Amino acid sequence: MPELHDVEHFRRLFQEHAAGKRLVGLTVVDPGLLRDVTAGELERALVGRTFATPARHGKWLIAPTEGGPVLLLHFGMTGELLWAPSDGAPERHDRVLFRFDHGVLRFRNVRRFGRVRLVRDEAELCAFLSAFGPDALGITRREFHARLFGRRGALKATLLDQEFLAGIGNVIADEALWQARLHPLVRVDALTGTERDRLFEALQRVLRQWVAHYGQDLSRWLTHVRGRPDATCPRCGRPIARVRVAGRTTYLCERCQSPPRALAA
DNA sequence: CGGAGCGCCTGGAAGC
DNA sequence: TGCTTCCAGGCGCTCC
């Protein structure tokens, strides 16, 4: 399920293969993923254009063209971006193909939760991004504290809120909470300053390491135990609990992440 | 403001 | 073996 680090990986793939290259063809296999743009409009807007340096905001990949419109890709739960140095036919679950002289970028999406958007220019891009909080990677401690201020809900729900910070998904949230030894259900307004600092550090550590070492061995991380029925905490060895928080399956260590006072009773 | 619930989707696993 | 049911969850939406 693509989160910030996955999308950053896709951004680098786009940078490597598509930046500075002219799009020579576009195949929309599944128009169902397009939002506020038709397949024809997308093709007319992009084919013949040269892509500039891509950016990322949260889970959105931002692919501007030189002096032209901006392509936006969201990967949903099961999306990925693949490069093939040949002009192949669409493969299973390929939804959009971006064809270049030297190969093809495949926007693949099994469960079709991915989204493709197009904005006219920088101003429209800014308007679109204004619905999101700042990107979770590289946010300052000061800004993190400022955004937490005044919030009252469950901590994990807040972390997943893209208006709070952009880019955190279920897996990153669980990992950061586990590393910071904070319970997912603790109320934000019940957090001490020390705990907020700890969360900030843990979150930045997770994001930086997962971006820097994409696809690394995660055996010492909580993430490693996801989906395992006999999972134990990589830190203390106690069984890992599997609960539902904010509608999402949540993994936590009930020993390391002590429950909020209201729940302990 | 927060949060619960739903629908969108598909494929793999689990149950019968 | 083959069928049905459940489950995974990012996100946008409604409703309370």
Side-chain angles (χ1 to χ4, degrees):
Chain A
M1 41 224 83
E3 301 184 23
L4 189 150
H5 56 295
D6 303 290
V7 181
E8 179 59 23
H9 171 70
F10 300 142
R11 189 196 67 78
R12 291 174 185 193
L13 190 84
F14 195 99
Q15 167 70 37
E16 183 184 350
H17 297 290
K21 303 293 195 297
R22 198 174 74 94
L23 189 72
V24 299
L26 184 137
T27 306
V28 176
V29 182
D30 186 351
L33 277 68
L34 308 188
R35 284 295 177 277
D36 299 331
V37 66
T38 66
E41 287 167 355
L42 198 65
E43 187 179 352
R44 284 191 293 278
L46 294 178
V47 174
R49 292 274 185 185
T50 299
F51 281 109
T53 300
R56 180 189 55 73
H57 190 93
K59 301 173 192 173
W60 281 94
L61 174 59
I62 301 163
T65 59
E66 290 177 359
V70 182
L71 171 71
L72 295 165
L73 297 178
H74 193 286
F75 296 87
M77 258 188 71
T78 53
E80 54 186 328
L81 202 57
L82 302 164
W83 172 257
S86 63
D87 182 22
E91 294 178 12
R92 190 160 160 77
H93 302 130
D94 282 353
R95 308 300 178 187
V96 181
L97 298 182
F98 300 92
R99 300 178 188 282
F100 301 86
D101 280 329
H102 60 312
V104 56
L105 264 184
R106 305 168 180 278
F107 181 60
R108 192 168 294 178
N109 220 280
V110 175
R111 246 161 275 186
R112 301 181 69 212
F113 284 171
R115 296 292 175 252
V116 178
R117 288 183 167 275
L118 188 75
V119 293
R120 234 182 297 272
D121 49 33
E122 191 71 22
E124 270 195 20
L125 177 63
C126 286
F128 176 74
L129 293 180
S130 69
F132 301 94
D135 190 80
L137 179 64
I139 191 176
T140 64
R141 179 188 303 269
R142 177 187 289 269
E143 196 171 6
F144 184 74
H145 279 278
R147 296 196 71 82
L148 273 180
F149 184 79
R151 288 227 168 216
R152 295 177 284 116
L155 181 53
K156 181 171 177 182
T158 300
L159 289 176
L160 293 176
D161 182 355
Q162 301 299 296
E163 285 186 46
F164 171 61
L165 289 180
I168 302 172
N170 199 33
V171 177
I172 292 175
D174 278 4
E175 184 68 40
L177 288 169
W178 177 75
Q179 290 204 18
R181 300 174 189 244
L182 293 170
H183 196 283
L185 285 177
V186 68
R187 281 171 57 107
V188 172
D189 55 343
L191 289 175
T192 66
T194 308
E195 288 170 334
R196 289 165 197 242
D197 277 342
R198 227 159 64 211
L199 178 60
F200 172 77
E201 297 295 343
L203 187 57
Q204 292 304 313
R205 185 166 56 242
V206 171
L207 293 174
R208 286 179 205 287
Q209 293 210 7
W210 287 5
V211 163
H213 307 288
Y214 191 75
Q216 69 181 352
D217 172 27
L218 295 173
S219 57
R220 288 174 56 216
W221 302 65
L222 174 74
T223 296
H224 186 62
V225 309
R226 290 191 86 82
R228 299 190 179 188
D230 59 343
T232 55
C233 176
R235 191 163 47 209
C236 77
R238 291 287 186 88
I240 285 290
R242 212 181 96 151
V243 298
R244 256 184 121 67
V245 176
R248 311 279 164 68
T249 303
T250 298
Y251 293 81
L252 77 154
C253 175
E254 286 171 329
R255 185 190 186 194
C256 294
Q257 298 163 262
S258 54
R261 199 167 297 168
L263 296 173

